[in-house]
């Protein structure tokens, strides 16, 4: 080995004994690596490595180092390779600094994620140059490199949901004009179609001339809070809706029991039995309302439909007719399907076939292909002159249960002699 002064610094404690030694004996800890280098070089080939990691004993102990290495053959007088020229540039310091920076940035990202922070922004008003970090730019559907270089404010406003964009732009202009604090909640419409809620806070700073100079602030992701608020609102509406339906159910059961009972005692027993059946039907729905689907058990379509409709039986064999196989219903799917059937039954009690003594319901179901098909057929109720146009909360809840939770489809056919409803649900979703 013959080397220059710079390599003697790289060699550390190995110098000066390394000078003039054989490469294999000079660096025994990387002998296999150098064997390969010499084999390729003496065969006329070249090698190039970038940030190659090796463990060297140049200071008396194992040390991880990184290097850029370039090897090429040195030709002898006969034109054949007689040696190998090595160009060595140690990159250990840079590699370690880059790794330390990456760790710091990862910790920062984790901290920002935990706090919901999207990032900070700095808008230079006069030049209309908006600066933001890569995470901020990506959230607003702007190319991350544009965040460092700066981009017009309009590019960031374009990432805001169309229904919120004008309000946000007006709020920004108002803050620039009046100097008041800027606080806005709005939605971002991502490139993949998803929506995120954010809260932005900032202020416009004045320049030496007193005019607007820089608009700085922060943006925080509040999607989880908004989803929680929406769920609370929906649960409140659902609770109110259910209380009203319970009273409607009670009224119907009292009427049913009074018509079929011969004595007050028979009426009390019939009413008690129907209330117990209604409670069992409510138990099927409770896990979904309380968020404890994992506590419920698997059942079948036959058991589910009978449980939900049993409270409305009046002893007549033609009142409620059910027919279908024992298709399995999973613990998660039972909530959505029970809700849909219960809401449909409640509407039948209030407005449909079950509101009349001679009304009847036929419910049939079967599996075909990859789907379960259920047919709900009402007759004998009030005549339907006009198809209902308004959609009550019960109808919305039913559609949400079938389409949203079960991935199915629902179809209403408002015939003159009664409603016919058809459901189709993927068997794969039904079994979960």
């Amino acid at each position: 080995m013959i080397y220059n002064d710079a390599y003697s610094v790289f060699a550390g404690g190995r110098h000066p004994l390394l000078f003039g030694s054989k490469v294999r004996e000079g660096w025994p800890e990387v002998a296999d690596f150098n064997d390969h280098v010499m084999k390729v070089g003496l065969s006329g080939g070249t090698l190039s490595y970038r940030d190659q990691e090796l463990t060297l004993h140049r200071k008396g102990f194992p040390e991880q180092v990184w290097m850029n290495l370039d090897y090429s053959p040195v030709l002898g007088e006969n034109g054949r390779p007689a040696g190998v020229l090595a160009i060595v540039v140690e990159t250990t310091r840079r590699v370690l600094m880059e790794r330390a920076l990456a760790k710091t940035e990862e910790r920062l990202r984790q901290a920002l994620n935990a706090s919901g922070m999207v990032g900070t922004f700095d808008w230079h008003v006069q030049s209309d140059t908006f600066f933001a970090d890569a995470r901020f730019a990506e959230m607003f559907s702007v190319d991350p490199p544009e965040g460092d270089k700066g981009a017009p404010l309009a590019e960031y406003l374009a990432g805001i949901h169309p229904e919120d964009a004008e309000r946000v732009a007006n709020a920004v202009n108002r803050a620039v004009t009046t100097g008041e604090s800027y606080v806005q909640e709005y939605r971002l419409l991502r490139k993949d179609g998803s929506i995120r809620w954010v809260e932005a806070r900032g202020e416009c700073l004045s320049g030496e001339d007193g005019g607007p100079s820089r608009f700085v602030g922060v943006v925080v992701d509040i999607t989880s809070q908004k989803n929680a608020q929406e769920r609370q609102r929906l649960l409140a509406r659902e609770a109110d809706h259910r209380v009203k339906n319970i009273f409607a159910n009670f009224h119907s059961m009292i009427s049913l029991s009074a018509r079929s009972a011969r004595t007050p005692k028979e009426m009390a027993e019939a009413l008690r039995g129907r209330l117990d059946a209604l409670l069992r039907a409510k138990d099927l729905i409770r896990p979904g309302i309380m968020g404890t689907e994992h506590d419920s058990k698997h059942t079948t379509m036959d058991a589910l439909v009978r449980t939900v409709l049993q409270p409305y039986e009046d002893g007549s064999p033609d009142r409620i007719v059910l027919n279908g196989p024992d298709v399995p219903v999973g613990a998660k799917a039972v909530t959505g399907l029970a809700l849909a059937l219960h809401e449909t039954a409640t509407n039948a009690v209030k407005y449909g076939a079950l509101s009349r003594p001679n009304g009847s319901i036929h419910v049939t179901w079967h599996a075909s292909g990859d789907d379960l098909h259920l047919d709900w057929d009402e007759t004998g109720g009030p005549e339907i002159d006009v198809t209902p146009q308004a959609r009550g909360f019960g109808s919305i809840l039913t559609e949400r249960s079938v389409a949203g939770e079960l991935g199915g489809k629902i179809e209403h056919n408002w015939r003159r002699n009664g409603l016919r409803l058809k459901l189709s649900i993927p068997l794969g979703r039904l079994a979960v």
Side-chain angles (χ1 to χ4, degrees):
M1 293 186 66
I2 301 175
Y3 48 79
N4 60 6
D5 290 343
Y7 192 88
S8 68
V9 176
F10 168 80
R14 291 281 172 87
H15 179 74
L17 295 179
L18 187 65
F19 193 81
S21 70
K22 297 181 179 181
V23 65
R24 177 174 242 284
E25 287 75 13
W27 295 106
E29 62 270 35
V30 289
D32 291 343
F33 180 85
N34 283 331
D35 280 350
H36 175 67
V37 169
M38 296 303 295
K39 188 174 184 179
V40 172
L42 293 177
S43 298
T46 61
L47 291 171
S48 182
Y49 301 92
R50 291 296 174 265
D51 292 333
Q52 173 66 44
E53 182 181 1
L54 294 174
T55 300
L56 302 180
H57 295 241
R58 54 185 183 173
K59 298 177 183 178
F61 55 85
E63 179 189 7
Q64 283 182 294
V65 298
W66 287 263
M67 297 165 283
N68 289 342
L69 303 170
D70 292 281
Y71 300 100
S72 57
V74 177
L75 303 182
E77 293 180 355
N78 59 1
R80 298 173 61 184
V84 177
L85 174 66
I87 300 176
V88 180
V89 178
E90 184 171 3
T91 60
T92 302
R93 181 179 178 84
R94 175 180 59 77
V95 169
L96 293 177
M97 289 181 62
E98 288 178 352
R99 291 189 176 186
L101 178 60
K103 288 182 179 180
T104 300
E105 290 178 344
E106 177 61 24
R107 294 192 189 100
L108 178 59
R109 283 194 296 269
Q110 292 175 351
L112 291 176
N113 287 336
S115 65
M117 178 73 74
V118 172
T120 61
F121 63 85
D122 185 352
W123 177 39
H124 292 202
V125 180
Q126 299 302 325
S127 63
D128 187 22
T129 310
F130 194 99
F131 297 93
D133 57 38
R135 173 183 169 85
F136 188 106
E138 192 274 334
M139 183 69 83
F140 279 74
S141 300
V142 175
D143 288 338
E146 294 293 320
D148 288 332
K149 295 190 301 181
L153 176 63
E155 289 193 20
Y156 287 85
L157 293 178
I160 299 176
H161 194 286
E163 295 179 4
D164 300 338
E166 184 177 356
R167 169 173 57 83
V168 173
N170 290 338
V172 170
N173 291 333
R174 187 164 57 252
V176 171
T177 303
T178 66
E180 66 181 52
S181 296
Y182 168 75
V183 180
Q184 288 290 312
E185 290 184 2
Y186 53 88
R187 292 163 292 176
L188 299 178
L189 183 58
R190 310 294 305 284
K191 290 181 178 179
D192 60 3
S194 63
I195 292 178
R196 305 293 297 182
W197 275 94
V198 298
E199 179 183 281
R201 292 176 175 268
E203 62 176 333
C204 188
L205 307 177
S206 300
E208 295 181 358
D209 60 357
S213 175
R214 295 169 54 207
F215 197 125
V216 297
V218 298
V219 172
V220 179
D221 190 331
I222 59 171
T223 304
S224 58
Q225 297 95 308
K226 283 292 185 179
N227 289 341
Q229 292 172 5
E230 176 61 21
R231 179 170 176 79
Q232 289 177 345
R233 185 188 66 82
L234 184 62
L235 287 176
R237 288 189 63 192
E238 192 168 322
D240 179 67
H241 176 71
R242 296 203 175 286
V243 169
K244 294 177 181 178
N245 279 348
I246 286 173
F247 281 107
N249 289 333
F250 287 168
H251 184 274
S252 174
M253 289 178 193
I254 292 171
S255 299
L256 286 172
S257 302
R259 285 199 298 266
S260 59
R262 292 171 295 180
T263 66
K265 182 179 180 180
E266 285 186 4
M267 177 178 174
E269 291 177 350
L271 185 58
R272 189 179 299 113
R274 289 183 175 120
L275 289 176
D276 288 342
L278 178 63
L279 182 59
R280 289 194 296 272
K282 293 290 184 182
D283 285 338
L284 293 174
I285 302 171
R286 185 179 295 115
I289 298 176
M290 303 302 293
T292 57
E293 291 90 340
H294 58 278
D295 293 336
S296 58
K297 299 178 180 179
H298 285 65
T299 184
T300 65
M301 279 297 300
D302 185 73
L304 174 61
V305 176
R306 291 185 186 280
T307 300
V308 172
L309 294 180
Q310 187 179 357
Y312 312 106
E313 294 278 4
D314 64 355
S316 170
D318 298 326
R319 181 68 164 172
I320 297 176
V321 180
L322 309 177
N323 185 28
D326 278 348
V327 179
V329 181
K332 291 184 178 179
V334 68
T335 298
L337 190 53
L339 279 170
L341 292 172
H342 180 73
E343 290 298 326
T344 306
T346 299
N347 287 336
V349 168
K350 293 191 292 187
Y351 318 113
L354 296 183
S355 68
R356 296 288 177 88
N358 298 324
S360 65
I361 297 177
H362 288 71
V363 183
T364 60
W365 62 91
H366 68 280
S368 176
D370 296 328
D371 296 322
L372 171 86
H373 300 277
L374 181 141
D375 190 64
W376 175 291
D377 192 3
E378 296 185 26
T379 57
E383 289 188 354
I384 301 176
D385 296 323
V386 180
T387 299
Q389 298 298 319
R391 297 172 66 243
F393 183 69
S395 299
I396 296 174
L397 187 62
T398 299
E399 292 183 9
R400 186 182 69 124
S401 300
V402 174
E405 298 179 16
L406 299 175
K409 298 179 182 178
I410 183 170
E411 178 184 343
H412 294 83
N413 183 9
W414 300 97
R415 303 170 304 178
R416 185 174 181 82
N417 62 334
L419 167 67
R420 185 172 187 181
L421 180 142
K422 292 184 178 182
L423 298 180
S424 62
I425 300 170
L427 289 171
R429 296 285 290 273
L430 191 68
V432 179

